[in-house]
Amino acid sequence: MPPTNPRKFSRLSPSPRFSVARRRFLQTSAAAVSGIVLSNCARNLSNNTAPSAETSPTADGTTATDSKTLHVFSWANYTDDELLKNFKDQTGISVVVDTFDSNETMLAKMQAGGGRAYSIIFPSDYMVEQMIELNMLMPLDRSRLKGIDGLMPKWQNPVYDANNAHSVPAVWGTTGLIFDPQRVQEKVRGWDYVWNNVDSLSRRLTMINDVREVFGATLQYLGYSLNSTKPAEIEEAYNKLLEIKPAIAAFMTNGWEDQLASGDLQISMAYSQDAIVLMEESPNLQYIVPESGSSLWTDTMVIPKSAPNPDAAYEWINFMLEPENSAKLVERLKFATPNEAAFNRLSPEVKNNENLFPPQAILDKCEGIAPVPQDIADLYDRFWTQLTST
Amino acid sequence: MSQTVVQDRDAAQTDTKLDVELRKVFKVFNGETAVRGIDLTIRQGEFFSILGPSGCGKTTTLRLIAGFEKPTGGEVLIRGKSMVNVPPYQRPVNTVFQSYALFNHMTVWDNVAFGLRLKKCSKSELQERVGAALQLVKMEAFARRFPAQLSGGQQQRVALARALVNRPTVVLLDEPLGALDLKLRKEMQVELSNLHQELGVTFVMVTHDQEEALSLSDRIAVMNGGRIEQIGSPSEIYEHPQTPFVADFIGDTNLFQGRVGSIYGSTLQVITPKGLEILVKSQQAWADLPSQSKDVVVSVRPEKIHIGASESGESINCYEGTLKHVMYLGTHVHCVVELRSGDSLTVLQPNQSHRLPELHSVVQVYWSAADCLALPV
Amino acid sequence: MATTPLAESSAASGWQRRLANLIQPIVLLLPSGLWLTLLLVAPTLLILELSLIPGFRLGQPAGSYGLGNYLEVFQPVYLQVIGRSLGFAVGTTIVCLLLGFPVAYWIAIKAPKHWRNLLLVGFVLPLWTSSLLRAYAWITILRPSGLLNTVLELFGLPGQSWLNRSPAVLIGLTYSFLPYMVLILYASLEKLDRRLLEAAADLGATPQQSFWKITVPQTLPGIAAGGLLVFIASLGDFVVPELLGGASSMTVSRLIYNQFLGATRNWGLGSSFSMLLILAVSIAIALLLKYGDRSAARS
């Protein structure tokens, strides 16, 4: 199978469920819409070739007792058929992948007891922290993990999960701006451009449909921490955002791609993962991490306490950590790996892709989104409601 | 039947003013001709009925007058004015519909006031006229009710009031009593007749009920197959039907196909294929006297036939037969007699059963030559 | 369930019949009763309970009961959201009515009889596609370089910029729910007794007067039912405001979604919004039933 190019699908069906998406929180409107119920997201990614695809678990864990089947709950496009086939060849374990489109949807499903089939989940950084707090994750037995030491130093001891006691980082990325350099007024280096060109942007800017990403970027632009918990700073960010409200067409995580290509939009705030996939198809586009910094996100692999098949889960994590497998997957699916051993095996073309692996100077300014106390979360939410309803 | 279109000579001759006039009116629906060239004149103040079996085109004729249908050919005039391009809402007629068509979202009062309100009638006049109309039909106590809360007869009265309150030139009634039960129908017939006399407005009524038409109307038009068979007063229609259809449709009758044998003055001799010889004497000069060898139909009303034991002594129109069937109808007795010729004859006798022969006995039936008619075919 | 005289005179003994009379309703009503209890009553009661626990969050110890969640609803920012949702719903209802009535009228009364079903099917056809796809189709049409502006330019007309603003939401919602309005109005208009129109004309009403004095009042139950359905559906709609509404697209349904599945996960507040939405819809339905009863009594 050639490198997956989900843009081809998105042409046919704009539903972002097919696009390589880095999704958090409420994600793309459309995906969120499709998942309005505690979405079972039982769309099997490897729906045509995975041997056990037909036995996709939806809600209960009735099919999970089979030790030769592993149920994985993941973001879209973190796995592909080839990976699943290799895994089966090597371990004899069939894999069924179900996808979710937001951490919260995943959490709600797990909490409601609808995810008992899954032995592997791919939560994002802050969600790992939350799930640890909720006592939902199995502590990992390091003696059973091979290759965990091959991770980049930055991910050896992440803030969201000390020493990776419960999680293994799998994919990371940044949040930035994507645009066509031919269509903007001046060189875009960061958020400055937006605040200085509100008139010419006039509803031709999209921002990610996520309160923390939008407020985080603004807080960083104002010189504060992306994870600010100071009400005054958050209110200042809100007022700052009001200034560019006339420039904002919509808050959308996905779905802006066609309009950006046609020039109906000038700039879109996007996850690096989405931007990179789009630029494969439209090389005229450019992705930047704003000068003021951005969020740095990590998606991990965890084993929930309810996992029916932890042995297979360990097999899976070890398989994913294996540098050769990992490198091949990254070459195919084009995401940033935190696995140094795998990184070293990548082709120079991928290795030097600054969008995938930004230079250290930029990374230094990036912060991971960390959970905030509940009252601050409520404050963010109220400002978000205000921002999106005025 | 290749008879000429019936001319309403009677009306045309008189000097009385005409309210409705139909001139050679045709109506074709999707290739089906419902009305085939009707000529009709209705006088002012007349109670005129259009009578015929279902599908004869009588309702279509009424709808042509009301304006719900446009004639395919010919012309409708009301008070001498052509109605060709006048929509229903501008015609000086009001209709009482077969199903009443009351507005069920309005009270009785609002139903009756509907037409006056559209005419921007002053409030006081409206109050007065609606009140009077409701009083006329004895419904003033029900003014605040909705149609669904009324009985069929009450709805009928409201429908009448709703039409009459507008003081139309002509009131059109489409089977107005068709939905009522027999007793109520009889009552309403009387009231309709009274109303008509009281108001002096022209009534045009469509009905399939001959009794209703005969009892209420000044004149009747009998329709069949989209044509008018005969126009005349009830007695004319009954006593002197001009076509076999009219004779058959109005009341009961016995019909004999035959051919004119010989003619003696005003008396015809008709011979049927089965060999009966019937003498017919006309009381009036034959309009167009059937000539010799012409095919005719002889009509004898059952009540004009006498029935008796053998040897009654009559010589003309007297035949022997067997009494096949007797049915008591209260005031009358209905008998069926099978003649020697094989013809079956219906006889209606006053209830004087002591005079009636026994069932299956041989009887003689006879009628006067003046009591039967020879109708051209 | 009335026993027929036949059943009463039948040879079946009394207790058998009584048993049958007892079992039959249970057998008939049980499936739907269970269904309703499990999927409608129980969740609603659950939401009601959650709404009475201020700041309830899954996975955290529940606080004591109180009306805090309902009081929070009255914050200006939430009132604004509620107002916006109501505005969209009312607007959509009016536009659907204005557009739907002539169409339904034409199909039910003017169009040739043998065409009617075909026309209706044609009108309902869009319902067979995903609402998501329809919303995306409108993006394609309304975006600045989209179909609509291309056509407008062709005729030398100034381009519009409705996408990501309220007009696009109204267009999208109307498009989504117009078929329902047309179907219901059609059913209502088709039942309209034409003789009433003839009677009105006979009494001197011009076609226009007949329309307002007869057709509209006669189809009022249909208008109310259609309007209510569109109102409820557009009040709860999530897809269209989200995809077409742009940066100011927050609606009540989205707000509820955010409270349940968003970052704050304030299920208590979300539940109170849900209850208010249920209440609003229930009131609307109650009004319809009351009105419907009255009109039923009259006909």
Side-chain angles (χ1 to χ4, degrees):
Chain A
M1 190 175 144
T4 312
N5 191 343
R7 293 286 306 153
K8 292 207 171 100
F9 293 105
S10 63
R11 267 284 153 76
L12 293 171
S13 156
S15 169
R17 71 179 74 135
F18 295 110
S19 71
V20 173
R22 155 70 211 174
R23 298 174 173 119
R24 305 180 169 199
F25 289 86
L26 276 185
Q27 294 319 338
T28 105
S29 40
V33 161
S34 63
I36 185 159
V37 261
L38 300 185
S39 148
N40 66 4
C41 294
R43 284 181 290 280
N44 198 312
L45 266 188
S46 45
N47 46 12
N48 32 25
T49 50
S52 56
E54 61 275 11
T55 58
S56 165
T58 46
D60 57 292
T62 47
T63 55
T65 45
D66 178 4
S67 68
K68 281 292 159 199
T69 306
L70 174 67
H71 289 282
V72 174
F73 203 18
S74 161
W75 300 97
N77 291 55
Y78 278 1
T79 59
D80 64 5
D81 293 339
E82 198 173 331
L83 177 81
L84 303 189
K85 186 177 169 296
N86 292 342
F87 183 69
K88 166 132 197 193
D89 289 349
Q90 197 173 316
T91 64
I93 299 169
S94 309
V95 179
V96 178
V97 181
D98 290 336
T99 63
F100 56 86
D101 49 33
S102 93
N103 280 308
E104 284 67 26
T105 312
M106 179 272 293
L107 179 65
K109 180 168 176 175
M110 296 305 294
Q111 282 186 316
R116 274 184 299 243
Y118 303 117
S119 297
I120 287 283
I121 310 176
F122 279 71
S124 302
D125 36 39
Y126 74 99
M127 184 51 65
V128 173
E129 200 167 348
Q130 207 166 329
M131 291 173 88
I132 294 170
E133 255 174 58
L134 292 168
N135 201 20
M136 292 171 74
L137 300 186
M138 205 179 264
L140 297 178
D141 180 355
R142 279 191 87 90
S143 67
R144 294 182 68 178
L145 295 175
K146 283 169 232 140
I148 185 99
D149 300 327
L151 291 174
M152 292 175 181
K154 207 178 165 93
W155 278 279
Q156 293 283 3
N157 183 17
V159 285
Y160 57 83
D161 181 22
N163 291 318
N164 289 320
H166 300 81
S167 63
V168 175
V171 184
W172 64 276
T174 55
T175 311
L177 300 173
I178 184 169
F179 53 89
D180 183 345
Q182 303 295 313
R183 295 191 203 261
V184 289
Q185 312 283 324
E186 58 199 77
K187 193 164 166 53
V188 180
R189 297 176 193 278
W191 288 106
D192 267 342
Y193 181 88
V194 172
W195 263 274
N196 292 338
N197 291 280
V198 171
D199 287 343
S200 74
L201 274 171
S202 172
R203 279 198 280 116
R204 291 162 76 197
L205 163 75
T206 64
M207 295 180 90
I208 284 175
N209 192 6
D210 179 306
V211 48
R212 291 296 304 281
E213 288 287 354
V214 170
F215 273 81
T218 313
L219 284 163
Q220 283 179 320
Y221 175 65
L222 288 170
Y224 304 129
S225 164
L226 175 114
N227 291 314
S228 175
T229 55
K230 296 194 178 87
E233 289 178 7
I234 298 167
E235 185 166 0
E236 193 183 339
Y238 166 73
N239 288 323
K240 198 74 187 162
L241 279 166
L242 280 186
E243 288 174 23
I244 58 164
K245 193 80 193 295
I248 305 173
F251 294 99
M252 58 201 319
T253 306
N254 291 92
W256 41 264
E257 294 88 345
D258 282 338
Q259 293 188 63
L260 190 71
S262 70
D264 290 334
L265 293 174
Q266 256 185 23
I267 301 182
S268 289
M269 179 185 179
Y271 291 120
S272 53
Q273 186 71 54
D274 295 337
I276 289 156
V277 170
L278 181 60
M279 288 189 306
E280 294 265 301
E281 194 181 89
S282 311
N284 56 320
L285 297 178
Q286 192 185 338
Y287 173 81
I288 62 147
V289 177
E291 284 174 326
S292 50
S294 91
S295 75
L296 184 74
W297 47 266
T298 308
D299 288 343
T300 69
M301 294 177 286
V302 300
I303 307 175
K305 282 211 161 137
S306 58
N309 200 353
D311 293 340
Y314 275 104
E315 294 253 28
W316 171 266
I317 293 174
N318 285 332
F319 184 83
M320 292 293 277
L321 279 172
E322 212 275 309
E324 191 61 37
N325 292 332
S326 184
K328 277 183 186 160
L329 191 64
V330 170
E331 291 275 353
R332 289 199 303 270
L333 298 182
K334 297 276 186 311
F335 57 74
T337 175
N339 188 336
E340 184 132 45
F343 177 76
N344 291 333
R345 286 168 194 257
L346 294 175
S347 64
E349 189 200 337
V350 176
K351 219 191 250 180
N352 297 329
N353 186 337
E354 290 204 347
N355 297 322
L356 270 179
F357 303 102
Q360 194 55 42
I362 290 180
L363 286 184
D364 285 345
K365 290 188 209 153
C366 296
E367 291 174 82
I369 290 181
V372 290
Q374 193 61 59
D375 56 329
I376 299 300
D378 287 351
L379 188 68
Y380 272 114
D381 186 69
R382 210 152 32 239
F383 275 125
W384 177 252
T385 305
Q386 215 157 314
L387 182 68
T388 51
S389 63
T390 38
Chain B
M1 228 182 285
S2 61
Q3 85 194 76
T4 50
V5 175
V6 171
Q7 290 294 322
D8 194 359
R9 298 175 223 101
D10 203 13
Q13 283 159 9
T14 57
D15 277 343
T16 41
K17 286 190 177 158
L18 300 181
D19 257 353
V20 181
E21 221 178 319
L22 271 65
R23 291 183 185 161
K24 298 256 174 304
V25 171
F26 281 85
K27 180 66 194 176
V28 180
F29 293 109
N30 303 325
E32 300 246 350
T33 309
V35 172
R36 304 167 182 268
I38 281 187
D39 281 291
L40 198 63
T41 49
I42 298 168
R43 301 169 199 148
Q44 256 181 44
E46 180 170 47
F47 198 130
F48 191 91
S49 289
I50 303 174
L51 177 65
S54 54
C56 71
K58 58 186 189 300
T59 294
T60 304
T61 307
L62 197 78
R63 292 171 61 81
L64 285 162
I65 299 172
F68 303 137
E69 310 289 352
K70 279 194 164 182
T72 314
E75 202 180 4
V76 175
L77 295 95
I78 297 177
R79 288 260 160 108
K81 230 180 97 188
S82 170
M83 291 286 130
V84 171
N85 285 316
V86 182
Y89 54 90
Q90 283 171 353
R91 298 194 181 194
V93 300
N94 284 115
T95 308
V96 177
F97 292 87
Q98 182 169 13
S99 51
Y100 317 137
L102 295 179
F103 306 130
N104 52 18
H105 61 286
M106 297 180 191
T107 60
V108 165
W109 179 276
D110 290 335
N111 263 280
V112 177
F114 189 84
L116 294 180
R117 286 199 176 124
L118 290 171
K119 292 187 186 82
K120 304 267 180 282
C121 190
S122 78
K123 219 170 184 150
S124 57
E125 193 191 348
L126 183 124
Q127 291 279 337
E128 191 190 319
R129 280 172 69 176
V130 172
L134 285 174
Q135 204 172 3
L136 194 67
V137 296
K138 304 185 187 76
M139 287 296 291
E140 60 269 46
F142 299 89
R144 297 282 153 234
R145 297 242 188 131
F146 284 96
Q149 300 164 313
L150 302 179
S151 70
Q154 290 168 331
Q155 291 187 29
Q156 163 77 88
R157 290 160 196 270
V158 176
L160 261 171
R162 189 177 67 173
L164 295 174
V165 77
N166 300 297
R167 297 182 186 153
T169 305
V170 181
V171 179
L172 304 175
L173 303 111
D174 186 6
E175 302 268 10
L177 311 177
L180 303 181
D181 60 52
L182 186 69
K183 193 164 175 293
L184 204 53
R185 196 153 67 218
K186 296 281 178 209
E187 277 175 33
M188 283 306 292
Q189 281 177 11
V190 176
E191 289 196 28
L192 263 186
S193 185
N194 290 343
L195 271 176
H196 175 246
Q197 272 162 24
E198 218 170 301
L199 299 170
V201 181
T202 309
F203 277 33
V204 181
M205 178 175 80
V206 155
T207 181
H208 66 276
D209 183 336
Q210 40 156 312
E211 202 186 322
E212 194 170 285
L214 292 172
S215 60
L216 290 174
S217 318
D218 297 321
R219 287 193 307 142
I220 298 171
V222 181
M223 280 189 75
N224 182 34
R227 288 199 180 84
I228 292 180
E229 296 262 338
Q230 186 174 355
I231 299 176
S233 68
S235 69
E236 279 170 348
I237 296 276
Y238 189 81
E239 302 291 345
H240 305 287
Q242 284 167 9
T243 67
F245 174 82
V246 175
D248 195 27
F249 187 73
I250 308 291
D252 281 335
T253 195
N254 296 291
L255 296 178
F256 299 91
Q257 304 276 344
R259 180 167 290 178
V260 177
S262 38
I263 304 171
Y264 323 97
S266 62
T267 303
L268 297 181
Q269 180 209 33
V270 178
I271 299 158
T272 73
K274 286 175 179 161
L276 287 186
E277 215 175 270
I278 306 170
L279 292 181
V280 183
K281 184 174 163 58
S282 174
Q283 287 110 320
Q284 59 193 71
W286 291 100
D288 15 68
L289 192 70
S291 52
Q292 215 157 349
S293 305
K294 214 162 169 213
D295 283 333
V296 290
V297 169
V298 176
S299 162
V300 197
R301 295 278 183 205
E303 72 271 17
K304 308 274 183 182
I305 301 173
H306 301 279
I307 193 164
S310 314
E311 296 108 36
S312 60
E314 291 291 327
S315 57
I316 55 162
N317 296 344
C318 179
Y319 312 97
E320 208 169 69
T322 319
L323 186 59
K324 278 289 194 199
H325 192 260
V326 177
M327 191 162 59
Y328 290 93
L329 298 176
T331 55
H332 284 78
V333 183
H334 183 270
C335 307
V336 178
V337 175
E338 195 179 291
L339 302 185
R340 286 269 158 78
S341 63
D343 293 298
S344 211
L345 206 62
T346 305
V347 183
L348 203 62
Q349 290 284 295
N351 190 358
Q352 295 165 318
S353 53
H354 62 278
R355 285 181 52 200
L356 212 62
E358 267 179 57
L359 202 59
H360 302 302
S361 64
V362 174
V363 293
Q364 284 203 324
V365 290
Y366 54 91
W367 62 88
S368 150
D371 280 342
C372 56
L373 293 164
L375 306 168
V377 179
Chain C
M1 213 176 314
T3 41
T4 64
L6 192 71
E8 262 159 7
S9 63
S10 77
S13 61
W15 69 269
Q16 271 178 326
R17 207 170 55 239
R18 274 199 296 278
L19 192 67
N21 284 349
L22 198 71
I23 287 174
Q24 210 171 1
I26 294 174
V27 168
L28 289 175
L29 295 178
L30 198 65
S32 66
L34 273 180
W35 179 268
L36 283 176
T37 311
L38 278 178
L39 297 174
L40 189 72
V41 179
T44 308
L45 289 177
L46 197 70
I47 290 173
L48 177 65
E49 194 199 349
L50 290 184
S51 76
L52 292 170
I53 307 172
F56 177 85
R57 286 176 171 83
L58 201 62
Q60 290 179 9
S64 53
Y65 288 105
L67 289 173
N69 291 326
Y70 288 97
L71 295 178
E72 208 174 334
V73 167
F74 290 97
Q75 288 189 23
V77 55
Y78 294 137
L79 289 179
Q80 193 173 16
V81 173
I82 292 170
R84 174 191 304 277
S85 299
L86 287 175
F88 281 143
V90 169
T92 306
T93 307
I94 292 171
V95 176
C96 277
L97 195 59
L98 291 180
L99 294 180
F101 204 101
V103 173
Y105 186 84
W106 184 75
I107 295 178
I109 292 182
K110 300 281 176 195
K113 243 193 176 103
H114 51 278
W115 274 38
R116 281 180 197 162
N117 286 338
L118 204 69
L119 286 166
L120 275 182
V121 168
F123 224 82
V124 176
L125 219 54
L127 289 180
W128 295 356
T129 61
S130 146
S131 60
L132 210 57
L133 282 184
R134 279 180 274 154
Y136 271 104
W138 277 110
I139 292 179
T140 315
I141 294 169
L142 293 176
R143 65 197 223 184
S145 66
L147 188 65
L148 180 61
N149 276 357
T150 311
V151 172
L152 286 176
E153 259 171 52
L154 214 63
F155 291 101
L157 295 165
Q160 48 68 43
S161 54
W162 290 334
L163 186 62
N164 295 321
R165 288 168 57 219
S166 300
V169 178
L170 268 187
I171 291 173
L173 287 175
T174 301
Y175 181 72
S176 289
F177 302 123
L178 187 59
Y180 296 106
M181 181 67 101
V182 169
L183 273 185
I184 291 176
L185 287 179
Y186 169 81
S188 191
L189 281 163
E190 212 221 353
K191 278 188 295 183
L192 176 70
D193 190 347
R194 311 289 171 77
R195 286 169 303 191
L196 296 186
L197 297 181
E198 287 187 349
D202 185 76
L203 292 165
T206 62
Q208 211 184 344
Q209 286 169 323
S210 295
F211 179 81
W212 289 111
K213 286 175 189 287
I214 307 299
T215 309
V216 170
Q218 285 286 326
T219 49
L220 214 50
I223 292 171
L228 197 72
L229 187 82
V230 170
F231 178 81
I232 292 171
S234 46
L235 189 63
D237 193 77
F238 187 87
V239 182
V240 170
E242 189 63 28
L243 293 188
L244 301 177
S248 298
S249 61
M250 189 61 80
T251 56
V252 175
S253 21
R254 176 72 206 206
L255 200 61
I256 292 171
Y257 184 102
N258 278 2
Q259 296 309 316
F260 277 93
L261 296 175
T264 67
R265 298 172 54 252
N266 188 343
W267 286 29
L269 182 60
S271 298
S272 69
F273 273 112
S274 303
M275 287 314 294
L276 287 177
L277 203 60
I278 291 170
L279 188 72
V281 168
S282 305
I283 289 173
I285 290 173
L287 284 176
L288 178 79
L289 288 182
K290 196 182 167 209
Y291 177 82
D293 276 349
R294 206 152 50 108
S295 75
R298 287 183 189 184
S299 52

